[in-house]
Amino acid sequence: QVQLVESGGGSVQAGGSLRISCAASGFTYSTYSMGWFRRPPGKEREGVAHIYGGGDRTYYADSVKDRFTISRDNAKNTLYLQMNNLKPEDTAMYFCAARHHSRDSWVWTWQGSYNYWGQGTQVTVSS
């Protein structure tokens, strides 16, 4: 049974930091690229960051570049998102998603290309 379970969300003041995690199980984690997406209140879900199975390539949305860092620990089957200098506009439900490495040439922000999704963790940034 495939599971993606996010954790680490919470409330933080603007300028603060937070690290969220995603624990994966039920599939061969290292053969899947992973992504973080978020859905701000009243808006559509959007791509935040993406990392290849080996961790050798990453992609970021322009809005989070130089503030967020995506990483993974294949020994622990866990994905991370380190978020620094948080802004109120980062407030959202954050989701992790997995897609097989055979789709690595596909646009990483295409949500339909992902095989599995987590339930999300809430991040709230106050001004």
Side-chain angles (χ1 to χ4, degrees):
Q1 180 186 356
V2 172
Q3 279 195 309
L4 293 174
V5 181
E6 300 93 338
S7 62
S11 297
V12 64
Q13 288 193 325
S17 297
L18 205 60
R19 189 179 80 159
I20 56 177
S21 303
C22 170
S25 61
F27 60 100
T28 308
Y29 181 67
S30 62
T31 66
Y32 280 71
S33 293
M34 300 295 295
W36 283 105
F37 290 78
R38 66 185 182 186
R39 185 173 61 228
K43 296 184 179 181
E44 297 294 315
R45 191 165 58 184
E46 62 186 15
V48 175
H50 183 86
I51 186 167
Y52 277 17
D56 53 317
R57 186 170 291 188
T58 58
Y59 299 91
Y60 294 93
D62 288 344
S63 59
V64 306
K65 207 170 292 184
D66 299 325
R67 298 189 299 122
F68 289 11
T69 301
I70 187 171
S71 63
R72 63 191 294 161
D73 185 337
N74 286 351
K76 295 182 178 179
N77 285 7
T78 303
L79 177 73
Y80 304 99
L81 185 68
Q82 177 67 44
M83 303 181 288
N84 297 330
N85 190 22
L86 281 160
K87 303 176 181 180
E89 51 263 43
D90 294 318
T91 294
M93 182 71 77
Y94 283 73
F95 302 87
C96 64
R99 76 177 189 186
H100 193 258
H101 71 86
S102 60
R103 298 179 177 182
D104 278 349
S105 63
W106 299 10
V107 175
W108 70 269
T109 53
W110 178 27
Q111 298 180 40
S113 69
Y114 289 80
N115 302 96
Y116 310 120
W117 288 84
Q119 294 299 307
T121 186
Q122 178 67 38
V123 173
T124 302
V125 185
S126 58
S127 57

